[in-house]
Coordinates of all heavy atoms in Angstrom, one line a residue:
M879 N 4.9 29.1 1.9 CA 3.8 29.1 0.9 C 3.6 27.6 0.5 O 4.4 26.9 0.3 CB 4.4 29.9 -0.3 CG 3.3 30.0 -1.5 SD 3.8 30.8 -2.8 CE 3.9 32.5 -2.3
S880 N 2.3 27.3 0.6 CA 1.8 25.9 0.4 C 1.8 25.7 -1.2 O 1.9 26.6 -1.9 CB 0.4 25.7 1.0 OG -0.6 26.3 0.1
R881 N 1.7 24.3 -1.5 CA 1.8 24.0 -2.9 C 0.6 24.6 -3.6 O 0.6 25.0 -4.8 CB 1.7 22.5 -3.0 CG 2.9 21.9 -2.4 CD 2.8 20.5 -2.5 NE 3.3 19.8 -3.7 CZ 3.2 18.6 -4.0 NH1 2.5 17.8 -3.3 NH2 3.7 18.3 -5.2
S882 N -0.7 24.6 -3.1 CA -1.8 25.1 -3.7 C -1.7 26.5 -3.8 O -2.2 27.1 -4.8 CB -3.1 24.6 -2.8 OG -3.0 25.1 -1.6
E883 N -1.1 27.2 -2.8 CA -1.0 28.8 -3.0 C 0.0 29.1 -4.3 O -0.2 30.1 -4.8 CB -0.4 29.3 -1.8 CG -1.3 29.3 -0.6 CD -0.6 29.8 0.6 OE1 0.6 29.9 0.8 OE2 -1.3 30.1 1.7
R884 N 0.9 28.2 -4.6 CA 1.7 28.4 -5.6 C 1.1 28.1 -7.1 O 1.7 28.1 -8.1 CB 3.0 27.6 -5.6 CG 3.9 28.2 -4.5 CD 5.2 27.5 -4.4 NE 5.1 26.1 -4.4 CZ 5.7 25.1 -3.6 NH1 6.4 25.6 -2.7 NH2 5.5 23.9 -3.7
G885 N -0.2 27.4 -7.0 CA -0.8 27.0 -8.2 C -0.5 25.6 -8.5 O -0.9 25.1 -9.6
V886 N 0.2 24.9 -7.6 CA 0.5 23.5 -7.9 C -0.6 22.6 -7.4 O -1.0 22.8 -6.1 CB 1.9 23.0 -7.4 CG1 2.1 21.6 -7.5 CG2 3.1 23.9 -7.8
P887 N -1.3 21.8 -8.2 CA -2.4 21.1 -7.6 C -1.9 20.1 -6.6 O -0.8 19.6 -6.6 CB -3.0 20.3 -8.9 CG -1.8 20.3 -9.9 CD -1.0 21.6 -9.6
D888 N -2.9 19.7 -5.7 CA -2.5 18.7 -4.7 C -2.8 17.3 -5.2 O -3.9 16.8 -4.9 CB -3.3 18.9 -3.4 CG -2.9 20.2 -2.6 OD1 -1.7 20.5 -2.7 OD2 -3.7 21.0 -2.2
W889 N -2.0 16.8 -6.0 CA -2.2 15.5 -6.7 C -2.0 14.5 -5.6 O -1.2 14.5 -4.7 CB -1.2 15.4 -7.7 CG -1.4 16.4 -8.9 CD1 -1.0 17.6 -8.7 CD2 -1.6 16.2 -10.2 NE1 -1.2 18.3 -10.0 CE2 -1.7 17.4 -10.9 CE3 -2.1 15.0 -10.9 CZ2 -2.0 17.5 -12.3 CZ3 -2.6 15.2 -12.2 CH2 -2.5 16.4 -12.8
Q890 N -2.7 13.3 -5.8 CA -2.6 12.2 -5.0 C -2.7 10.9 -5.8 O -3.4 10.9 -7.0 CB -3.8 12.1 -3.9 CG -3.7 13.2 -2.9 CD -4.8 12.9 -2.0 OE1 -5.8 12.3 -2.1 NE2 -4.8 13.8 -0.8
I891 N -2.0 10.0 -5.4 CA -2.0 8.5 -6.1 C -2.5 7.7 -4.9 O -2.0 7.7 -3.9 CB -0.7 8.1 -6.7 CG1 -0.3 9.1 -7.7 CG2 -0.7 6.7 -7.1 CD1 1.1 8.9 -8.2
R892 N -3.6 7.0 -5.2 CA -4.1 6.2 -4.1 C -4.8 4.9 -4.7 O -5.1 4.8 -6.0 CB -5.1 6.9 -3.2 CG -6.2 7.7 -3.9 CD -7.1 8.3 -3.1 NE -8.0 9.3 -3.9 CZ -8.7 10.2 -3.4 NH1 -8.5 10.6 -2.0 NH2 -9.5 10.9 -4.0
L893 N -5.2 4.0 -3.9 CA -5.8 2.7 -4.2 C -7.2 3.1 -4.8 O -7.9 3.9 -4.3 CB -6.0 1.7 -3.1 CG -4.6 1.3 -2.4 CD1 -5.0 0.5 -1.1 CD2 -3.9 0.4 -3.4
V894 N -7.6 2.3 -5.9 CA -9.0 2.4 -6.3 C -9.9 1.7 -5.4 O -9.6 0.5 -5.1 CB -9.1 1.9 -7.8 CG1 -10.5 1.8 -8.2 CG2 -8.2 2.7 -8.6
P895 N -10.9 2.2 -4.9 CA -11.7 1.5 -3.9 C -12.5 0.2 -4.7 O -12.7 0.3 -5.9 CB -12.9 2.5 -3.6 CG -12.2 3.9 -3.8 CD -11.3 3.5 -4.9
N896 N -12.6 -0.8 -3.9 CA -13.2 -2.1 -4.3 C -12.4 -2.8 -5.5 O -13.0 -3.6 -6.2 CB -14.6 -1.8 -4.7 CG -15.5 -1.3 -3.7 OD1 -15.3 -1.6 -2.5 ND2 -16.3 -0.3 -4.0
R897 N -11.1 -2.4 -5.7 CA -10.3 -3.1 -6.7 C -9.2 -3.8 -5.9 O -8.6 -3.2 -5.1 CB -9.7 -2.2 -7.7 CG -10.7 -1.6 -8.5 CD -11.3 -2.2 -9.8 NE -10.4 -2.6 -10.7 CZ -10.1 -1.9 -11.8 NH1 -10.6 -0.8 -12.0 NH2 -9.3 -2.5 -12.7
S898 N -9.0 -5.1 -6.1 CA -8.0 -5.8 -5.3 C -6.8 -6.1 -6.2 O -6.8 -5.9 -7.4 CB -8.5 -7.0 -4.8 OG -9.0 -7.9 -5.8
L899 N -5.8 -6.6 -5.6 CA -4.6 -7.0 -6.2 C -4.9 -8.2 -7.1 O -5.7 -9.0 -6.8 CB -3.6 -7.4 -5.3 CG -2.2 -7.9 -5.8 CD1 -1.4 -6.5 -6.2 CD2 -1.4 -8.5 -4.6
S900 N -4.4 -8.1 -8.4 CA -4.7 -9.3 -9.3 C -3.3 -9.8 -9.8 O -2.3 -9.2 -9.8 CB -5.5 -8.9 -10.5 OG -4.9 -7.8 -11.3
R901 N -3.3 -11.1 -10.2 CA -2.1 -11.7 -10.8 C -2.4 -11.8 -12.4 O -3.4 -12.1 -13.0 CB -2.0 -13.1 -10.2 CG -0.7 -13.7 -10.7 CD -0.5 -15.1 -10.0 NE -0.2 -15.0 -8.6 CZ 1.1 -14.8 -8.1 NH1 2.1 -14.7 -9.0 NH2 1.3 -14.7 -6.9
E902 N -1.3 -11.2 -13.0 CA -1.3 -11.2 -14.4 C -0.9 -12.6 -15.0 O -0.3 -13.4 -14.3 CB -0.3 -10.2 -14.9 CG -0.5 -8.8 -14.4 CD -1.6 -8.1 -15.1 OE1 -1.7 -8.0 -16.3 OE2 -2.5 -7.6 -14.4
R903 N -1.2 -12.9 -16.3 CA -0.8 -14.0 -16.8 C 0.7 -14.3 -16.8 O 1.1 -15.5 -16.7 CB -1.2 -14.2 -18.3 CG -2.8 -14.3 -18.5 CD -3.1 -14.5 -20.0 NE -4.6 -14.8 -19.9 CZ -5.2 -14.5 -21.0 NH1 -4.7 -14.0 -22.2 NH2 -6.5 -14.7 -21.1
S904 N 1.5 -13.3 -16.8 CA 2.9 -13.4 -16.8 C 3.4 -13.8 -15.4 O 4.6 -14.0 -15.2 CB 3.5 -12.0 -17.2 OG 3.2 -11.1 -16.2
G905 N 2.6 -13.8 -14.4 CA 2.9 -14.0 -13.0 C 3.2 -12.8 -12.2 O 3.3 -12.9 -11.0
Q906 N 3.2 -11.7 -12.9 CA 3.3 -10.4 -12.2 C 2.1 -10.0 -11.4 O 1.0 -10.5 -11.7 CB 3.8 -9.4 -13.0 CG 5.2 -9.4 -13.7 CD 5.5 -8.4 -14.7 OE1 4.7 -8.0 -15.5 NE2 6.8 -7.9 -14.6
L907 N 2.2 -9.1 -10.4 CA 1.1 -8.7 -9.6 C 0.7 -7.3 -10.1 O 1.5 -6.4 -10.3 CB 1.3 -8.6 -8.2 CG 1.9 -10.1 -7.8 CD1 2.5 -10.0 -6.3 CD2 0.7 -11.0 -7.6
A908 N -0.6 -7.0 -10.1 CA -1.1 -5.7 -10.5 C -1.9 -5.0 -9.6 O -3.0 -5.7 -9.2 CB -1.7 -5.7 -11.9
L909 N -1.7 -3.9 -9.1 CA -2.5 -3.1 -8.2 C -3.0 -1.8 -8.9 O -2.2 -1.1 -9.4 CB -1.8 -2.8 -7.0 CG -2.5 -2.1 -5.9 CD1 -3.5 -3.0 -5.3 CD2 -1.5 -1.8 -4.8
T910 N -4.3 -1.6 -9.0 CA -4.9 -0.6 -9.7 C -4.8 0.7 -8.8 O -5.4 0.7 -7.7 CB -6.2 -0.8 -10.3 OG1 -6.2 -2.0 -11.1 CG2 -6.8 0.3 -11.1
L911 N -4.3 1.7 -9.3 CA -4.2 3.0 -8.6 C -4.8 4.2 -9.4 O -5.1 4.0 -10.5 CB -2.7 3.4 -8.4 CG -1.8 2.4 -7.6 CD1 -0.4 2.9 -7.8 CD2 -2.2 2.2 -6.3
Q912 N -5.2 5.2 -8.7 CA -6.0 6.2 -9.3 C -5.2 7.6 -9.0 O -4.5 7.6 -8.0 CB -7.4 6.5 -8.9 CG -7.6 6.7 -7.5 CD -9.1 6.7 -7.0 OE1 -10.0 6.6 -8.0 NE2 -9.4 6.7 -5.8
I913 N -5.1 8.4 -9.9 CA -4.4 9.7 -9.8 C -5.6 10.7 -9.7 O -6.5 10.8 -10.5 CB -3.6 10.0 -11.1 CG1 -2.5 9.0 -11.2 CG2 -2.9 11.4 -10.9 CD1 -1.8 9.1 -12.5
V914 N -5.6 11.4 -8.6 CA -6.6 12.4 -8.3 C -6.1 13.7 -7.8 O -5.1 13.8 -7.3 CB -7.7 11.9 -7.2 CG1 -8.3 10.7 -7.7 CG2 -7.0 11.6 -5.9
R915 N -6.9 14.8 -8.0 CA -6.7 16.1 -7.4 C -8.0 16.4 -6.8 O -9.1 15.8 -7.2 CB -6.1 17.0 -8.3 CG -6.9 17.4 -9.5 CD -6.2 18.5 -10.2 NE -6.9 18.8 -11.5 CZ -6.4 19.1 -12.6 NH1 -5.1 19.4 -12.6 NH2 -7.0 19.3 -13.6
P916 N -8.1 17.3 -5.8 CA -9.3 17.6 -5.1 C -10.6 17.6 -6.0 O -10.6 18.4 -7.0 CB -9.1 18.9 -4.4 CG -7.6 18.9 -4.2 CD -7.0 18.3 -5.4
G917 N -11.5 16.7 -5.8 CA -12.7 16.7 -6.5 C -12.7 16.1 -7.8 O -13.8 16.2 -8.6
E918 N -11.6 15.6 -8.3 CA -11.5 15.1 -9.8 C -10.5 14.0 -9.8 O -9.5 14.1 -9.5 CB -10.9 16.3 -10.5 CG -10.7 16.0 -12.0 CD -10.2 17.2 -12.8 OE1 -9.7 18.2 -12.1 OE2 -10.3 17.2 -14.0
Q919 N -11.1 12.8 -10.4 CA -10.3 11.7 -10.8 C -9.7 11.9 -12.1 O -10.5 12.2 -13.0 CB -11.0 10.4 -10.6 CG -10.2 9.2 -11.0 CD -11.0 7.9 -11.0 OE1 -11.9 7.7 -10.1 NE2 -10.7 7.0 -11.8
L920 N -8.4 11.8 -12.2 CA -7.7 12.1 -13.5 C -7.5 10.9 -14.3 O -7.6 10.9 -15.5 CB -6.5 12.9 -13.2 CG -6.5 14.2 -12.5 CD1 -5.3 14.8 -12.2 CD2 -7.5 15.2 -13.3
A921 N -7.1 9.8 -13.6 CA -6.8 8.6 -14.4 C -6.7 7.4 -13.5 O -6.4 7.6 -12.3 CB -5.3 8.8 -15.1
T922 N -6.7 6.2 -14.0 CA -6.3 5.0 -13.4 C -5.3 4.3 -14.1 O -5.1 4.4 -15.2 CB -7.5 4.1 -13.1 OG1 -7.9 3.7 -14.5 CG2 -8.6 4.7 -12.4
A923 N -4.4 3.6 -13.3 CA -3.3 2.9 -14.0 C -2.8 1.8 -13.1 O -2.8 1.9 -11.8 CB -2.1 3.9 -14.1
P924 N -2.4 0.7 -13.6 CA -1.9 -0.5 -12.8 C -0.4 -0.2 -12.3 O 0.3 0.2 -13.2 CB -2.1 -1.6 -13.8 CG -1.9 -1.1 -15.1 CD -2.5 0.2 -15.0
L925 N -0.3 -0.5 -11.1 CA 1.1 -0.7 -10.7 C 1.4 -2.2 -10.9 O 0.8 -2.9 -10.2 CB 1.3 -0.1 -9.2 CG 2.6 -0.4 -8.6 CD1 3.7 0.2 -9.4 CD2 2.6 0.0 -7.1
V926 N 2.4 -2.6 -11.8 CA 2.7 -3.9 -12.0 C 4.0 -4.2 -11.3 O 4.9 -3.4 -11.6 CB 2.8 -4.2 -13.6 CG1 3.1 -5.7 -13.9 CG2 1.3 -3.8 -14.2
L927 N 4.1 -5.2 -10.5 CA 5.2 -5.6 -9.8 C 5.6 -7.1 -10.0 O 4.7 -7.9 -10.2 CB 5.0 -5.5 -8.3 CG 4.5 -4.2 -7.8 CD1 3.9 -4.3 -6.3 CD2 5.7 -3.2 -7.8
T928 N 6.9 -7.3 -10.2 CA 7.3 -8.8 -10.1 C 7.1 -9.3 -8.7 O 6.8 -8.5 -7.8 CB 8.8 -8.8 -10.6 OG1 9.6 -8.1 -9.6 CG2 9.1 -8.2 -11.9
V929 N 7.2 -10.6 -8.5 CA 7.0 -11.1 -7.3 C 8.1 -10.5 -6.4 O 7.9 -10.2 -5.2 CB 7.2 -12.8 -7.3 CG1 7.2 -13.3 -6.0 CG2 6.0 -13.3 -8.1
A930 N 9.3 -10.5 -6.7 CA 10.4 -9.9 -5.9 C 10.3 -8.6 -5.6 O 10.5 -8.2 -4.4 CB 11.8 -10.0 -6.7
E931 N 9.7 -7.7 -6.5 CA 9.3 -6.3 -6.2 C 8.2 -6.3 -5.1 O 8.2 -5.4 -4.2 CB 8.9 -5.5 -7.4 CG 10.1 -5.2 -8.4 CD 9.6 -4.8 -9.7 OE1 8.4 -5.1 -10.2 OE2 10.4 -4.1 -10.4
A932 N 7.2 -7.1 -5.2 CA 6.0 -7.2 -4.3 C 6.7 -7.6 -3.0 O 6.3 -7.0 -1.9 CB 5.1 -8.2 -4.8
E933 N 7.6 -8.5 -2.8 CA 8.2 -9.0 -1.7 C 8.9 -7.8 -1.0 O 8.8 -7.7 0.3 CB 9.2 -10.2 -1.8 CG 8.6 -11.4 -2.1 CD 7.7 -12.1 -0.8 OE1 8.0 -11.5 0.3 OE2 7.1 -13.0 -1.0
R934 N 9.7 -7.1 -1.8 CA 10.5 -5.9 -1.1 C 9.3 -4.8 -0.7 O 9.6 -4.2 0.4 CB 11.4 -5.2 -2.3 CG 12.6 -6.1 -2.4 CD 13.8 -5.3 -3.2 NE 13.4 -4.9 -4.5 CZ 13.3 -5.5 -5.6 NH1 13.8 -6.8 -5.6 NH2 13.0 -4.9 -6.7
L935 N 8.4 -4.6 -1.4 CA 7.3 -3.7 -1.0 C 6.7 -4.2 0.3 O 6.4 -3.3 1.3 CB 6.3 -3.3 -2.1 CG 5.1 -2.5 -1.6 CD1 5.7 -1.1 -1.3 CD2 4.2 -2.4 -2.8
H936 N 6.3 -5.5 0.4 CA 5.7 -6.0 1.6 C 6.6 -5.9 2.9 O 6.2 -5.3 3.9 CB 5.4 -7.5 1.3 CG 4.9 -8.2 2.4 ND1 5.5 -9.1 3.2 CD2 3.6 -8.3 2.9 CE1 4.9 -9.5 4.2 NE2 3.6 -9.1 4.1
A937 N 7.9 -6.1 2.6 CA 8.8 -5.9 3.7 C 9.0 -4.5 4.2 O 9.0 -4.2 5.4 CB 10.2 -6.5 3.3
A938 N 9.0 -3.6 3.2 CA 9.1 -2.1 3.6 C 7.9 -1.7 4.3 O 8.0 -1.0 5.3 CB 9.4 -1.3 2.4
L939 N 6.7 -2.1 3.9 CA 5.6 -1.7 4.6 C 5.4 -2.3 6.0 O 5.0 -1.7 6.9 CB 4.2 -2.1 3.8 CG 4.1 -1.4 2.4 CD1 3.0 -2.0 1.5 CD2 3.8 0.1 2.9
C940 N 5.8 -3.6 6.1 CA 6.0 -4.3 7.5 C 6.8 -3.5 8.4 O 6.4 -3.3 9.5 CB 6.3 -5.8 7.4 SG 5.0 -6.8 6.7
Y941 N 7.9 -3.2 7.8 CA 8.9 -2.4 8.7 C 8.3 -1.1 9.1 O 8.3 -0.7 10.2 CB 10.1 -2.2 7.9 CG 11.2 -1.5 8.7 CD1 11.9 -2.1 9.6 CD2 11.5 -0.1 8.3 CE1 12.9 -1.4 10.4 CE2 12.4 0.6 9.0 CZ 13.1 -0.1 10.0 OH 14.1 0.7 10.8
A942 N 7.7 -0.4 8.1 CA 7.1 0.9 8.5 C 6.0 0.8 9.5 O 5.7 1.7 10.2 CB 6.7 1.7 7.1
L943 N 5.2 -0.3 9.4 CA 3.9 -0.4 10.3 C 4.3 -1.1 11.6 O 3.3 -1.2 12.4 CB 3.0 -1.3 9.5 CG 2.2 -0.6 8.3 CD1 1.5 -1.6 7.5 CD2 1.4 0.6 8.7
N944 N 5.5 -1.4 11.8 CA 5.9 -2.2 12.9 C 5.4 -1.5 14.2 O 4.9 -2.2 15.1 CB 7.4 -2.4 12.9 CG 7.9 -3.4 14.1 OD1 7.2 -4.3 14.5 ND2 9.1 -3.0 14.7
A945 N 5.6 -0.2 14.4 CA 5.1 0.5 15.6 C 3.7 0.7 15.7 O 3.2 1.0 16.8 CB 5.9 1.7 15.7
E946 N 2.9 0.5 14.7 CA 1.5 0.7 14.7 C 0.7 -0.6 15.1 O 1.1 -1.7 14.7 CB 1.0 1.0 13.2 CG 1.5 2.2 12.7 CD 1.2 3.4 13.4 OE1 0.0 3.6 13.9 OE2 2.0 4.5 13.4
P947 N -0.3 -0.4 15.9 CA -1.1 -1.6 16.4 C -1.8 -2.1 15.1 O -2.3 -1.3 14.3 CB -2.0 -1.0 17.4 CG -2.1 0.4 17.2 CD -0.7 0.8 16.6
A948 N -1.9 -3.4 15.1 CA -2.6 -4.1 13.9 C -4.0 -3.9 14.2 O -4.6 -4.3 15.3 CB -2.2 -5.5 13.8
P949 N -4.9 -3.6 13.2 CA -6.3 -3.5 13.4 C -6.9 -5.0 13.4 O -6.1 -5.9 13.1 CB -6.8 -2.8 12.1 CG -5.7 -2.8 11.1 CD -4.4 -3.0 11.9
D950 N -8.1 -5.2 13.9 CA -8.7 -6.4 14.0 C -8.7 -7.2 12.7 O -8.6 -8.4 12.7 CB -10.1 -6.4 14.7 CG -10.1 -5.9 16.1 OD1 -9.0 -5.9 16.8 OD2 -11.1 -5.3 16.5
D951 N -8.9 -6.5 11.6 CA -9.1 -7.2 10.3 C -7.8 -7.2 9.5 O -7.7 -7.5 8.3 CB -10.1 -6.4 9.4 CG -9.8 -4.9 9.2 OD1 -8.9 -4.4 9.8 OD2 -10.5 -4.4 8.3
A952 N -6.6 -7.1 10.3 CA -5.4 -7.0 9.6 C -5.2 -8.5 9.2 O -5.5 -9.4 9.8 CB -4.2 -6.5 10.6
P953 N -4.2 -8.7 8.1 CA -3.7 -10.0 7.6 C -2.9 -10.6 8.8 O -2.3 -9.9 9.7 CB -2.9 -9.8 6.5 CG -2.9 -8.3 6.2 CD -3.7 -7.5 7.3
E954 N -2.8 -11.9 8.8 CA -2.2 -12.6 9.8 C -0.6 -12.2 9.9 O -0.2 -12.2 11.1 CB -2.3 -14.1 9.5 CG -3.5 -14.8 9.8 CD -3.9 -14.8 11.1 OE1 -3.2 -15.0 12.0 OE2 -5.2 -14.5 11.2
C955 N -0.1 -11.8 8.9 CA 1.3 -11.5 9.1 C 1.6 -10.1 9.9 O 2.7 -9.9 10.3 CB 2.0 -11.3 7.8 SG 1.3 -9.9 6.6
R956 N 0.5 -9.4 10.1 CA 0.5 -8.3 10.9 C 0.3 -8.4 12.4 O 0.5 -7.5 13.3 CB -0.3 -7.2 10.4 CG 0.1 -6.4 9.3 CD 1.0 -5.2 9.5 NE 0.3 -4.1 10.3 CZ 0.6 -3.6 11.3 NH1 1.8 -3.9 11.9 NH2 0.0 -2.6 11.8
K957 N -0.2 -9.6 12.8 CA -0.7 -10.0 14.2 C 0.6 -10.6 14.9 O 1.2 -11.4 14.3 CB -1.9 -10.9 14.2 CG -3.1 -10.2 13.5 CD -4.2 -11.0 13.5 CE -5.4 -10.1 12.9 NZ -6.6 -11.0 12.6
S958 N 0.7 -10.2 16.1 CA 1.8 -10.8 16.9 C 1.4 -12.2 17.4 O 0.4 -12.6 17.5 CB 2.1 -9.8 18.2 OG 1.0 -9.8 18.9
I959 N 2.5 -12.8 17.4 CA 2.4 -14.2 18.0 C 3.1 -14.3 19.3 O 4.2 -13.9 19.5 CB 3.1 -15.2 17.0 CG1 2.4 -15.1 15.7 CG2 3.1 -16.7 17.5 CD1 3.3 -15.9 14.6
Q960 N 2.4 -14.8 20.4 CA 2.9 -14.9 21.7 C 3.6 -16.3 21.9 O 3.0 -17.3 21.7 CB 1.9 -14.7 22.7 CG 2.3 -14.6 24.1 CD 2.9 -13.2 24.3 OE1 2.5 -12.1 23.8 NE2 3.9 -13.1 25.1
Y961 N 4.8 -16.3 22.2 CA 5.6 -17.6 22.4 C 5.8 -17.8 23.9 O 5.7 -16.9 24.7 CB 7.1 -17.5 21.8 CG 6.9 -17.4 20.2 CD1 6.9 -16.2 19.6 CD2 7.0 -18.6 19.5 CE1 7.0 -16.2 18.2 CE2 6.9 -18.7 18.1 CZ 6.9 -17.4 17.5 OH 6.8 -17.4 16.3
S962 N 6.1 -19.0 24.2 CA 6.2 -19.4 25.6 C 7.4 -18.7 26.1 O 8.3 -18.3 25.5 CB 6.6 -20.9 25.8 OG 7.7 -21.2 25.1
G963 N 7.4 -18.1 27.4 CA 8.4 -17.4 27.9 C 8.0 -15.8 27.8 O 8.7 -14.9 28.1
G964 N 6.9 -15.6 27.2 CA 6.4 -14.1 27.1 C 7.0 -13.3 26.0 O 6.7 -12.2 25.8
R965 N 7.8 -14.0 25.1 CA 8.3 -13.2 23.9 C 7.3 -13.1 23.0 O 6.3 -13.8 22.8 CB 9.5 -14.1 23.3 CG 10.8 -14.2 24.1 CD 11.7 -15.0 23.5 NE 11.1 -16.3 22.8 CZ 11.5 -16.9 21.8 NH1 12.6 -16.5 21.1 NH2 10.9 -17.9 21.4
Q966 N 7.3 -11.9 22.2 CA 6.4 -11.6 21.1 C 7.2 -11.5 19.9 O 8.2 -10.9 19.7 CB 5.7 -10.3 21.3 CG 4.3 -10.3 21.6 CD 3.7 -9.0 21.7 OE1 4.2 -8.0 21.3 NE2 2.4 -8.9 22.1
R967 N 6.5 -12.1 18.8 CA 7.2 -11.9 17.5 C 6.1 -11.6 16.5 O 4.9 -11.9 16.7 CB 7.8 -13.3 17.1 CG 9.1 -13.6 17.7 CD 9.8 -14.6 16.9 NE 11.1 -14.8 17.6 CZ 11.8 -15.9 17.5 NH1 11.4 -16.8 16.6 NH2 12.9 -16.1 18.1
F968 N 6.5 -11.0 15.4 CA 5.6 -10.7 14.4 C 5.8 -11.5 13.0 O 6.9 -11.9 12.8 CB 5.7 -9.1 14.0 CG 5.3 -8.3 15.3 CD1 6.2 -8.0 16.3 CD2 3.9 -7.9 15.5 CE1 5.7 -7.3 17.4 CE2 3.6 -7.3 16.5 CZ 4.4 -6.8 17.5

């Protein structure tokens, strides 16, 4: 039985379009997210991260994306570097 068949809404948390990461006065980083269910935006809220938390999230995402090819508009850290001898590093 799917979640929607049980009456549980298919909630999603996702990035707010056209809103970028911002730095707070405290030095923390804030990423605005939205909570939605099909056809309805319910709320927006900032995900506030310390620099250390942002570094851990960045590392986890890089690890998870390692097997995926980097799109043309990917940040430099996602693009492979070709070293002499044919080795590739990311």
Side-chain angles (χ1 to χ4, degrees):
M879 180 181 289
S880 74
R881 296 173 92 192
S882 57
E883 288 173 352
R884 292 188 308 233
V886 177
D888 292 324
W889 300 69
Q890 294 180 348
I891 298 175
R892 56 185 169 194
L893 297 173
V894 174
N896 303 320
R897 298 279 295 268
S898 62
L899 185 72
S900 63
R901 185 175 290 272
E902 303 286 303
R903 288 186 178 159
S904 64
Q906 294 179 314
L907 302 165
L909 185 62
T910 304
L911 302 174
Q912 61 185 352
I913 302 167
V914 297
R915 63 179 169 206
E918 182 179 16
Q919 179 180 324
L920 301 174
T922 60
L925 171 63
V926 180
L927 303 164
T928 64
V929 172
E931 291 167 334
E933 286 288 350
R934 285 195 302 274
L935 178 58
H936 178 257
L939 289 170
C940 285
Y941 180 78
L943 291 169
N944 187 36
E946 299 293 323
D950 292 337
D951 62 346
E954 288 298 317
C955 64
R956 282 277 289 136
K957 296 180 180 170
S958 64
I959 301 168
Q960 192 73 36
Y961 289 94
S962 61
R965 297 179 307 150
Q966 240 186 16
R967 286 199 179 159
F968 295 89

